[in-house]
């Protein structure tokens, strides 16, 4: 389970880094889709912690990292929207 979560975090990070090659509307859609997926992963991590499959401290570390990625995505969505409206 730990490898799966770690790989998910790495995959999300790599996806974020590749966005510079796309157009703004596509990037915004991708970021919104990614945020939805992040919410699903956070829910799964919390369930694993609740049922004892994942240590709470380690699980919260992953949750906090994913929340930071989601926050960065939301900031980028706002910036892209502002650039489109200028």
């Amino acid at each position: 389970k730990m490898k799966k979560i770690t790989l998910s975090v790495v995959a999300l990070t790599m996806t974020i880094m590749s966005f510079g090659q796309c157009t703004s509307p596509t990037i915004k859609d991708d970021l919104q889709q990614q945020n939805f997926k992040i919410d699903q992963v956070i829910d799964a991590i919390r369930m694993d912690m609740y049922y004892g499959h994942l240590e709470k401290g380690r699980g919260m570390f992953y949750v906090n990292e994913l929340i930071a990625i989601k926050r960065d995505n939301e900031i980028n969505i706002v910036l892209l929207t502002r650039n489109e409206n200028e």
Side-chain angles (χ1 to χ4, degrees):
K1 292 228 181 222
M2 297 304 288
K3 287 182 181 181
K4 187 175 183 180
I5 293 170
T6 303
L7 290 175
S8 296
V9 173
V10 170
L12 287 170
T13 304
M14 290 174 59
T15 303
I16 291 170
M17 292 173 15
S18 68
F19 281 138
Q21 303 167 5
C22 303
T23 61
S24 292
T26 303
I27 294 171
K28 283 183 3 184
D29 293 341
D30 288 346
L31 289 172
Q32 290 169 341
Q33 181 74 18
Q34 189 177 66
N35 280 350
F36 178 74
K37 290 178 183 178
I38 289 171
D39 287 335
Q40 291 177 326
V41 172
I42 289 172
D43 288 343
I45 292 170
R46 287 184 173 152
M47 284 181 62
D48 283 349
M49 287 188 303
Y50 179 81
Y51 289 109
H53 301 296
L54 180 63
E55 175 190 329
K56 186 176 181 180
R58 187 171 297 215
M60 287 309 299
F61 171 78
Y62 291 128
V63 167
N64 289 331
E65 291 298 308
L66 289 167
I67 289 172
I69 293 170
K70 184 177 175 184
R71 184 181 56 242
D72 291 342
N73 286 352
E74 290 169 353
I75 290 168
N76 287 330
I77 290 169
V78 169
L79 293 173
L80 289 168
T81 302
R82 284 183 187 165
N83 287 339
E84 288 175 1
N85 293 331
E86 289 180 351

